[in-house]
């Protein structure tokens, strides 16, 4: 039975009201606890650069933000963004087909074109983002259109890359697992001259992955990836800094679209079976070339400008498996494939100029941001198709079709330009009160009559700090998300020009830094409403012309809930990061509701979710880790007739560090899904990700 927000909201409000008393008691206990040693708190980061487009502390940010540092994800031996974001329960995973990962924040799916940032630049994230180059991952909750323009109502993911170092840095790493996967990493940095005015950071990765699921000929899915990253910084003068960044990713893998669920919510076939053909693959090549220039006028004012050019090319030879019409038993009735070879060319060019300054008027302090950013998007596609809905039987080999996208002489193309200008002021009225006010104007231009979009996005927040280590805040913000064309030729409304989605959020929260700033506790309640919602639903029966889905816009979507989080040091030896979320998400449709979704819950929006990861240092050289992830029951289709059961997954690990010939050498062993729990992860009833059983990983790292 689902709780109503009125009940949960009252409970959360009572809990938030009690925070000062609890915090005061914890502070008194803290003052009696003697903490010795000089250990660095790697679990807690005080700044999220993406939340306010600047280095403003989380305590001065009237917004719910989670920062996941690389220290934690290195401990977890994370290999992709999904394994990083599991540390924030407000983020839930979606489908992982086609060598990409889909995520939802507060129940809203992130767009590949506007939901992901790297150092504040929007990226086309239609692939598995490399995480070895990241210093931290920031989850910005709620609408952020005031600072970034087109973005979803749930929030944004900002990935902050590793910066050059003044001193010499050299880390070598190797990890493997019980499937036979291997990953080699090099992370190096330092100065290139004696004055240390020219610095660098470089990361090289070679990964060969073997997955646990199998194609029907007995082969496992494989992945071959290599990554090169270089970041240079030049102190041109004492006041002028130039930074140049380049990364190149090549990533080829077989396709595993996931499993199918029948009408009884049961997985069809075995957990290990891959329905795609073994010759199907995706081959991605991604390049980013960027530059940033920062000039300090004085200690109070600076201007920063940046540009990034992303080139993303992909070949996808797909078998596109689907259940046969009116059948849920592929072993008896067979299933269909519709092979095609496709080439995608995405180009994202982004730029920004930010002027920031601090000044005082009439005894009132201001932190001002004035700026603008732009995005130029281009997409081109070549595609050739084979036989549609070819019937095949499980276990029967199907030869690779003679398809080559070069044979398509009619390239499908689309592009648009997006511009935005914004003004934000964080006003300190006195020691207890701060006010944030901001506004943004957006304009998106596309060829064709009626294709342009405009929006004004305000943001307002208030922070009240009754003590210097805690505060309460409230904010109001809006989102603006252009939708473009329906780009699926199997959709009934293929090439329909969609209208933008508009969202607004009210959020009330609190933040407390305890144990001398070593532990950050957060809590928030939120109410998000989105109008003009775009919904894509799979049709019960494929149409005569092969249409499999329908995309429409109608009515509203409303998500309400609460979040709690903790991150940092509990004692000298004990560290933890954890969070939980309650979510009440539903569609609210108007009279035109062909899909009858009024009152239904979106896919992959669990009512409850939670996670925890801890580190206990037995000695200076030996550390133990324990973690748990809980995801509640989720619906797997829009009409809520098929669901995925909730699950709890336990993880654990241990690391031992020793000195060998002057190098710090760390040996780590992790066990994911310790008790071999069967579970289903993100995705719908046609592309659900099947959770892996018990999984052992080993890693060796040397720091010179």
């Amino acid at each position: 039975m689902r709780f109503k927000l009125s009940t949960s909201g009252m409970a959360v409000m009572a809990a938030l009201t009690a925070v000062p008393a609890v915090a005061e008691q914890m502070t008194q206990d803290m003052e009696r606890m003697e903490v010795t040693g000089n250990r660095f708190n790697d679990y807690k980061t005080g700044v999220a650069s993406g939340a306010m487009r600047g280095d403003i502390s989380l305590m001065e940010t009237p917004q719910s933000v989670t920062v996941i540092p690389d220290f934690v994800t290195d401990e977890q031996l994370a290999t992709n963004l999904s394994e990083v974001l599991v540390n924030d329960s407000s983020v839930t995973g979606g489908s992982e087909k086609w060598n990409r990962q889909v995520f939802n924040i507060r129940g809203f799916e992130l767009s590949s074109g506007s939901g992901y940032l790297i150092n504040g630049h929007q990226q086309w994230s239609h692939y598995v983002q490399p995480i070895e180059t990241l210093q931290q991952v920031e989850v910005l909750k709620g609408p952020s259109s005031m600072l970034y323009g087109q973005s979803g109502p749930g929030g944004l993911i900002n990935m902050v890359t590793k910066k050059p170092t003044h001193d010499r840095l050299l880390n070598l790493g190797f990890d493997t697992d019980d499937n036979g996967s291997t990953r080699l990493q090099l992370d190096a940095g330092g100065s290139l001259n004696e004055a240390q005015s020219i610095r660098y950071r470089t990361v090289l990765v070679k990964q060969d992955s073997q997955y646990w699921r199998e194609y029907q000929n007995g082969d496992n899915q494989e992945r071959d990836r290599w990554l090169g990253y270089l970041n240079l910084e030049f102190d041109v003068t004492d006041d002028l800094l130039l930074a140049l960044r380049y990364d190149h990713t090549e990533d080829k893998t077989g396709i595993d679209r996931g499993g199918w669920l029948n009408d009884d919510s049961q997985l069809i076939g075995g957990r290990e079976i891959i329905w795609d053909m073994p010759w199907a693959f995706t081959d991605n090549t991604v390049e980013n070339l960027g530059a940033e220039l920062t000039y300090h006028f004085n200690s109070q004012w600076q201007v920063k400008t940046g540009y990034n050019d992303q080139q993303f090319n992909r070949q996808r030879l797909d078998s596109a498996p689907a259940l046969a019409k009116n059948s849920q038993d592929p072993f008896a009735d067979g299933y269909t494939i519709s092979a095609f070879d496709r080439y995608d060319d995405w180009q994202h060019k982004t730029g920004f100029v930010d002027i920031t300054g601090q000044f005082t008027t009439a005894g009132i302090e201001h932190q001002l941001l004035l700026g603008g950013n732009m995005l130029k998007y281009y997409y081109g596609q070549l595609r050739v198709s084979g036989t549609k809905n070819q019937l095949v039987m499980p276990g029967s080999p199907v030869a690779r079709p003679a398809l080559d996208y070069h044979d398509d002489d009619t390239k499908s193309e689309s592009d648009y330009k997006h511009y935005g200008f914004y003004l934000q002021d964080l006003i300190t009225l006195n020691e207890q009160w701060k006010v944030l006010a901001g506004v943004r104007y957006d304009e998106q231009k596309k060829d064709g009559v009626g294709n342009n979009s405009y929006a004004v996005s305000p943001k307002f927040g208030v922070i009240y700090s009754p003590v210097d280590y805690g505060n309460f805040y409230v904010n109001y913000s809006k989102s603006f998300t252009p939708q473009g064309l329906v780009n699926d030729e199997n959709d009934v409304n293929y090439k329909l020009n969609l209208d933008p989605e508009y969202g607004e959020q009210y959020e009330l929260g609190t933040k407390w830094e305890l144990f001398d700033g070593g532990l950050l506790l957060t809590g928030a309640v939120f109410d998000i409403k989105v109008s003009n919602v775009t919904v894509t639903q799979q049709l019960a029966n494929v149409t005569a012309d092969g249409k499999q889905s329908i995309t429409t816009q109608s009515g509203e979507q409303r998500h309400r809930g609460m979040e709690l989080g903790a991150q940092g040091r509990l004692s000298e030896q004990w560290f933890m990061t954890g969070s939980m979320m309650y979510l009440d998400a539903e569609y609210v449709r108007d009279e035109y509701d062909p899909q009858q979704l009024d009152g239904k819950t979106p896919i992959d929006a669990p009512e409850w979710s939670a996670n925890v990861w801890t580190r206990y240092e037995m000695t200076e050289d030996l550390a133990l880790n324990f973690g748990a992830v809980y995801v509640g029951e989720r619906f797997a289709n829009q009409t809520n007739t098929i669901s995925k059961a909730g699950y709890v997954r336990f993880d654990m690990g241990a690391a031992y560090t020793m000195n060998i010939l002057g190098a710090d050498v760390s040996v780590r062993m992790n066990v994911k899904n310790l008790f071999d729990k069967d579970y289903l992860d993100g995705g719908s009833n046609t592309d659900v990700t099947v959770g892996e059983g018990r999984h052992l990983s080993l890693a060796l790292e040397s720091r010179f």
Side-chain angles (χ1 to χ4, degrees):
M1 178 179 180
R2 297 183 66 87
F3 295 100
K4 298 298 184 182
L5 182 67
S6 56
T7 303
S8 63
M10 292 174 62
V12 174
M13 287 296 297
L16 296 183
T17 305
V19 166
V22 176
E24 182 178 358
Q25 182 62 47
M26 291 184 69
T27 303
Q28 292 173 358
D29 295 341
M30 173 193 68
E31 291 173 350
R32 294 193 294 267
M33 181 179 65
E34 180 181 359
V35 179
T36 60
N38 190 29
R39 299 186 187 277
F40 185 73
N41 186 1
D42 294 291
Y43 271 49
K44 176 177 173 289
T45 301
V47 174
S49 59
M52 301 278 281
R53 291 193 74 100
D55 295 330
I56 298 177
S57 73
L58 293 177
M59 298 298 290
E60 294 183 297
T61 302
Q63 179 181 356
S64 180
V65 181
T66 297
V67 181
I68 307 169
D70 62 347
F71 183 88
V72 172
T73 54
D74 287 347
E75 276 192 339
Q76 297 169 341
L77 297 182
T79 60
N80 56 59
L81 192 57
S82 177
E83 294 173 349
V84 174
L85 294 175
V86 75
N87 293 287
D88 186 351
S89 59
S90 68
V91 182
T92 52
S95 170
E96 295 191 2
K97 62 184 178 183
W98 306 329
N99 193 21
R100 58 171 293 206
Q101 295 176 318
V102 176
F103 301 100
N104 308 286
I105 301 181
R106 292 180 171 175
F108 292 99
E109 183 176 320
L110 295 181
S111 165
S112 293
S114 61
Y116 303 84
L117 312 171
I118 293 185
N119 300 324
H121 290 276
Q122 286 177 330
Q123 294 280 296
W124 182 256
S125 188
H126 221 56
Y127 68 113
V128 178
Q129 286 279 355
I131 65 169
E132 294 87 358
T133 64
L134 302 183
Q135 174 181 307
Q136 63 188 41
V137 175
E138 303 168 353
V139 184
L140 316 180
K141 320 288 183 64
S144 295
S145 288
M146 201 285 292
L147 291 179
Y148 295 103
Q150 54 176 340
S151 60
L156 292 171
I157 304 296
N158 184 41
M159 293 165 278
V160 181
T161 57
K162 295 177 178 178
K163 302 297 188 292
T165 59
H166 287 80
D167 298 327
R168 179 177 176 270
L169 168 73
L170 178 59
N171 296 335
L172 297 175
F174 170 79
D175 56 78
T176 185
D177 63 20
D178 52 4
N179 293 323
S181 304
T182 60
R183 181 174 59 163
L184 290 164
Q185 299 183 67
L186 179 146
D187 183 359
S191 298
L192 297 176
N193 60 349
E194 290 187 8
Q196 296 187 325
S197 60
I198 305 176
R199 302 170 298 278
Y200 79 98
R201 188 71 173 268
T202 187
V203 175
L204 298 175
V205 177
K206 180 65 174 73
Q207 180 181 16
D208 295 290
S209 298
Q210 297 282 337
Y211 294 91
W212 62 287
R213 282 163 55 87
E214 294 182 350
Y215 295 102
Q216 294 170 54
N217 65 353
D219 292 342
N220 292 93
Q221 182 192 12
E222 298 182 1
R223 181 186 183 197
D224 182 15
R225 178 179 73 106
W226 78 271
L227 163 71
Y229 167 83
L230 177 64
N231 194 339
L232 296 172
E233 284 185 350
F234 302 86
D235 293 328
V236 182
T237 69
D238 290 341
D239 301 317
L240 184 63
L241 173 66
L242 173 64
L244 303 174
R245 184 175 69 88
Y246 174 77
D247 65 70
H248 181 100
T249 299
E250 294 188 6
D251 190 353
K252 183 175 182 179
T253 182
I255 296 178
D256 177 4
R257 70 174 290 116
W260 295 323
L261 302 180
N262 61 26
D263 290 343
D264 296 324
S265 302
Q266 300 299 312
L267 186 67
I268 297 175
R271 293 177 55 82
E272 297 185 357
I273 189 171
I274 298 177
W275 298 104
D276 300 83
M277 294 295 107
W279 40 258
F281 69 88
T282 62
D283 190 355
N284 297 328
T285 300
V286 187
E287 288 187 321
N288 283 282
L289 178 61
E292 289 185 355
L293 194 65
T294 306
Y295 179 71
H296 294 267
F297 296 103
N298 50 47
S299 59
Q300 284 78 40
W301 288 89
Q302 74 170 32
V303 60
K304 184 176 183 179
T305 182
Y307 177 80
N308 190 81
D309 185 344
Q310 182 190 34
Q311 304 288 325
F312 182 0
N313 303 115
R314 180 184 73 177
Q315 181 187 2
R316 177 173 143 207
L317 176 63
D318 202 334
S319 56
L323 287 170
K325 188 175 181 179
N326 300 323
S327 171
Q328 293 189 345
D329 187 355
F331 296 98
D333 305 323
Y335 65 102
T336 65
I337 62 172
S338 301
F340 62 87
D341 190 27
R342 168 174 156 179
Y343 171 78
D344 301 288
D345 177 11
W346 287 286
Q347 299 177 23
H348 254 219
K349 296 179 173 62
T350 58
F352 73 88
V353 177
D354 285 347
I355 300 174
T356 56
Q358 301 180 25
F359 61 95
T360 302
T361 58
I364 298 177
E365 298 179 5
H366 297 262
Q367 292 175 271
L368 188 69
L369 167 67
L370 173 65
N373 62 352
M374 57 77 65
L375 165 64
K376 184 177 180 181
Y377 168 88
Y378 167 83
Y379 174 63
Q381 181 188 118
L382 298 172
R383 174 172 173 149
V384 293
S385 299
T387 304
K388 281 185 173 292
N389 301 318
Q390 177 185 353
L391 187 66
V392 300
M393 295 300 296
S396 299
V398 177
R400 175 173 172 168
L403 298 175
D404 188 341
Y405 68 83
H406 293 94
D407 295 336
D408 183 3
D409 56 2
T410 57
K411 191 173 188 180
S412 173
E413 297 179 297
S414 63
D415 63 87
Y416 66 82
K417 296 178 182 178
H418 189 105
Y419 304 93
F421 305 93
Y422 42 89
L423 174 66
Q424 173 182 277
D425 192 8
L426 178 61
I427 305 168
T428 302
L429 302 176
N430 52 45
E431 292 184 357
Q432 285 77 41
W433 292 93
K434 295 180 186 291
V435 176
L436 175 72
V439 66
R440 176 190 178 96
Y441 172 77
D442 276 298
E443 181 174 329
Q444 179 167 295
K445 296 183 177 181
K446 298 174 64 176
D447 292 337
V449 178
N451 288 344
N452 295 344
S453 301
Y454 310 90
V456 175
S457 304
K459 185 174 184 179
F460 181 77
V462 177
I463 303 175
Y464 170 63
S465 303
V467 291
D468 58 2
Y469 55 84
N471 67 42
F472 296 92
Y473 69 87
V474 61
N475 77 39
Y476 169 79
S477 55
K478 297 188 71 173
S479 65
F480 161 68
T481 315
Q483 296 299 293
L485 299 174
V486 177
N487 194 33
D488 183 357
E489 65 178 11
N490 294 317
D491 196 284
V492 172
N493 290 322
Y494 178 48
K495 290 192 175 181
L496 174 68
N497 189 41
L498 301 171
D499 295 325
E501 292 181 354
Y502 298 94
E504 62 177 0
Q505 172 190 264
Y506 295 90
E507 179 178 292
L508 171 66
T510 185
K511 301 178 183 181
W512 297 83
E513 287 190 318
L514 305 178
F515 300 143
D516 198 25
L519 179 67
L520 175 64
L521 301 179
T522 62
V525 291
F526 57 88
D527 188 335
I528 306 173
K529 182 173 65 175
V530 181
S531 59
N532 223 27
V533 175
T534 301
V535 177
T536 299
Q537 184 181 6
Q538 297 298 312
L539 298 175
N541 296 302
V542 177
T543 64
D545 57 350
K547 304 297 184 181
Q548 300 175 4
S549 61
I550 180 172
T551 298
T552 60
Q553 290 182 292
S554 179
E556 298 179 348
Q557 192 170 341
R558 191 169 187 182
H559 293 201
R560 298 169 287 182
M562 68 93 173
E563 298 167 343
L564 298 173
Q567 194 172 45
R569 185 185 65 236
L570 299 174
S571 70
E572 184 186 2
Q573 289 85 22
W574 192 15
F575 301 82
M576 69 90 66
T577 178
S579 63
M580 65 168 291
M581 179 181 69
Y582 164 78
L583 179 65
D584 180 8
E586 65 176 358
Y587 293 106
V588 183
R589 310 291 277 176
D590 60 20
E591 293 180 359
Y592 176 67
D593 186 8
Q595 301 159 348
Q596 299 180 347
L597 297 182
D598 186 34
K600 298 296 192 296
T601 298
I603 294 173
D604 283 324
E607 185 176 20
W608 291 98
S609 54
N611 71 280
V612 65
W613 177 262
T614 65
R615 171 188 177 92
Y616 188 81
E617 298 179 348
M618 303 290 291
T619 68
E620 290 187 358
D621 301 319
L622 176 64
L624 302 180
N625 298 99
F626 174 80
V629 177
Y630 169 72
V631 180
E633 183 181 15
R634 297 135 293 150
F635 291 110
N637 64 343
Q638 298 285 3
T639 54
N640 293 180
T641 59
I642 301 175
S643 63
K644 297 176 290 186
Y647 67 90
V648 181
R649 190 193 80 204
F650 294 97
D651 307 325
M652 69 175 300
Y656 183 76
T657 303
M658 62 197 114
N659 187 280
I660 300 178
L661 300 177
D664 289 330
V665 179
S666 175
V667 180
R668 166 166 289 280
M669 180 184 73
N670 283 6
V671 181
K672 181 179 176 182
N673 196 2
L674 179 64
F675 298 111
D676 201 23
K677 174 72 175 179
D678 286 346
Y679 67 95
L680 299 176
D681 217 325
S684 72
N685 59 310
T686 62
D687 57 12
V688 66
T689 300
V690 182
E692 186 174 4
R694 186 183 297 111
H695 180 64
L696 174 67
S697 300
L698 297 171
L700 179 68
E701 182 182 28
S702 299
R703 297 176 178 266
F704 298 91

